[in-house]
Amino acid sequence: MLRRILLGMSRSHQIKKAVSSLPVSSGIVARFVAGETAPEAVLATEKLVSNGLNVTLDHLGEDVTDLAAATATADAYLELLKQLSDAGLTKNAEVSVKPSAVGQALPGDGEKIALEHARTICLAARNAGTTVTLDMEDHTTTDSTLGILRELRQDFPETGAVLQAYLRRTESDCVDLAYAGSRVRLCKGAYKEPESVAFQDKRAVDKAYVRAMKVLMNGAGYPMIASHDPRLIAIAASLADRAGRRPGSYEYQMLFGIRPEEQLRLASHGHTVRVYIPYGEDWYGYLVRRLAERPANLQFFARSLISK
Ligand code: FAD
């Protein structure tokens, strides 16, 4: 119930205006967001990479409603890739792009505009020696995002996909995407979705996650297990083992600021671990989704608001 209220808040413009006046350096924001600028994001990347971790960076922002903002987001990724390359970090750092941040939701040609922006980012990433993963947003965008992915993979087969275990369609999408060379991030899913398309109960989502993992681990692609859930991480390890996969033929992914000791522990056991680093000024929607996952953080959040 609380999760649904919080996820509803993530789309409220009034609440966003009030909360966005918090400085990014305030406790709760800084815990989950690496900063507002590319240099801050590069600094956070350097620290994680020096500890044996890999990174994927997200320039925060979503649902842009004008072309200028979509183009500005694409340009921000080009600048970020340049800075990562200059810092010698592109062997360990890639970028994650939300299609809605580069134009998908624009009326008319939105999907085409998002594809062209994503193509430009993929080319810059390849020239810098790294890759792009297309984040997945709410279910109304799934077909469109998978369509953009198919187009991109014709020229950039290294582009990563994201599938959300809570969606009823995902097991079948995993079957379609479990082919050689296909990088697929599997997450539980972070949006408020109707029962008609998504499992609502936590146990049903976890079971769906395991079914999807089985398909990916037994397939020929490269599974990216994005979860902080200790049970699912343990099941991933045993499924990988049973499928004859060695560390390096799949990876674990976690969010910046969540279970950092576990990230290091997995890396110290020889696993590839990638940390998702969000940065930028538009952190509101991202932060509220993190609070919805762990209402225990709400108290901390309320304290940040009172002391601002
Ligand atoms: P949860 O059910 O939230 O947590 C399970 C367990 O993990 C908890 O019971 C606890 O034991 C542990 N845990 C969780 N949080 C903490 C914490 N703060 N401290 C200590 N223990 C904790 N979602 C999308 O919809 N689209 C995307 O493109 C997308 N990309 C993602 C990329 C990455 C790398 C990751 C990690 C997540 C991404 N997500 C995305 C978010 C995802 O869908 C989930 O909302 C989020 O990961 C929480 O799910 P969970 O699997 O960690 O399980």
Side-chain angles (χ1 to χ4, degrees):
M1 177 65 169
L2 185 58
R3 175 176 180 270
R4 295 186 75 76
I5 294 171
L6 284 166
L7 289 179
M9 263 172 65
S10 73
R11 292 261 152 99
S12 156
H13 290 293
Q14 277 136 329
I15 301 177
K16 175 175 178 174
K17 225 172 124 197
V19 174
S20 296
S21 59
L22 272 179
V24 74
S25 57
S26 73
I28 190 73
V29 188
R31 169 154 177 222
F32 295 113
V33 177
E36 292 196 336
T37 65
E40 287 170 296
V42 170
L43 198 65
T45 302
E46 263 165 358
K47 280 191 195 148
L48 293 170
V49 168
S50 69
N51 283 324
L53 299 167
N54 298 277
V55 159
T56 186
L57 289 125
D58 166 33
H59 177 75
L60 288 165
E62 49 202 273
D63 297 334
V64 303
T65 50
D66 66 86
L67 180 59
T71 307
T73 302
D75 289 346
Y77 275 103
L78 302 186
E79 176 58 26
L80 173 67
L81 283 161
K82 184 182 172 303
Q83 292 191 25
L84 289 170
S85 175
D86 289 348
L89 290 166
T90 48
K91 184 168 166 284
N92 299 94
E94 64 142 36
V95 295
S96 283
V97 177
K98 283 191 172 38
S100 81
V102 289
Q104 188 182 36
L106 297 178
D109 275 351
E111 195 171 305
K112 214 167 127 231
I113 291 165
L115 173 61
E116 284 321 308
H117 280 145
R119 225 190 262 289
T120 308
I121 299 168
C122 285
L123 181 60
R126 180 181 284 172
N127 289 339
T130 188
T131 50
V132 175
T133 293
L134 275 192
D135 280 348
M136 191 59 86
E137 301 171 76
D138 74 71
H139 81 278
T140 62
T141 65
T142 310
D143 280 326
S144 162
T145 297
L146 291 178
I148 293 173
L149 176 84
R150 264 193 305 278
E151 294 275 335
L152 282 176
R153 281 190 172 178
Q154 289 184 15
D155 295 322
F156 304 98
E158 66 275 26
T159 308
V162 177
L163 295 176
Q164 298 152 315
Y166 64 12
L167 292 187
R168 297 177 192 275
R169 59 179 286 167
T170 286
E171 200 176 336
S172 145
D173 287 333
C174 284
V175 173
D176 292 345
L177 288 181
Y179 56 85
S182 172
R183 298 165 62 238
V184 182
R185 175 195 301 160
L186 180 65
C187 62
K188 286 190 187 178
Y191 297 80
K192 182 170 138 198
E193 299 287 16
E195 169 136 39
S196 53
V197 299
F199 301 108
Q200 308 288 312
D201 172 59
K202 183 178 159 30
R203 273 176 49 121
V205 175
D206 290 356
K207 282 187 185 164
Y209 197 108
V210 175
R211 288 195 299 276
M213 253 195 308
K214 277 187 185 154
V215 175
L216 295 178
M217 287 292 188
N218 291 322
Y222 181 79
M224 303 189 280
I225 305 301
S227 179
H228 313 98
D229 193 327
R231 242 186 89 242
L232 292 179
I233 291 168
I235 295 172
S238 80
L239 287 175
D241 202 36
R242 259 189 267 162
R245 285 182 178 269
R246 313 238 44 92
S249 67
Y250 64 101
E251 72 182 41
Y252 293 103
Q253 297 193 344
M254 293 191 198
L255 300 176
F256 180 73
I258 303 188
R259 304 200 70 204
E261 319 76 31
E262 177 65 1
Q263 296 167 12
L264 293 173
R265 188 193 68 81
L266 287 166
S268 74
H269 282 74
H271 291 290
T272 303
V273 180
R274 191 174 300 279
V275 181
Y276 183 105
I277 301 187
Y279 78 98
E281 291 171 17
D282 194 2
W283 43 261
Y284 174 76
Y286 179 87
L287 178 70
V288 173
R289 287 196 293 277
R290 300 293 76 80
L291 294 177
E293 280 151 18
R294 209 167 170 78
N297 284 327
L298 271 176
Q299 215 183 350
F300 192 23
F301 178 54
R303 246 185 270 134
S304 307
L305 275 178
I306 291 162
S307 63
K308 98 178 155 132

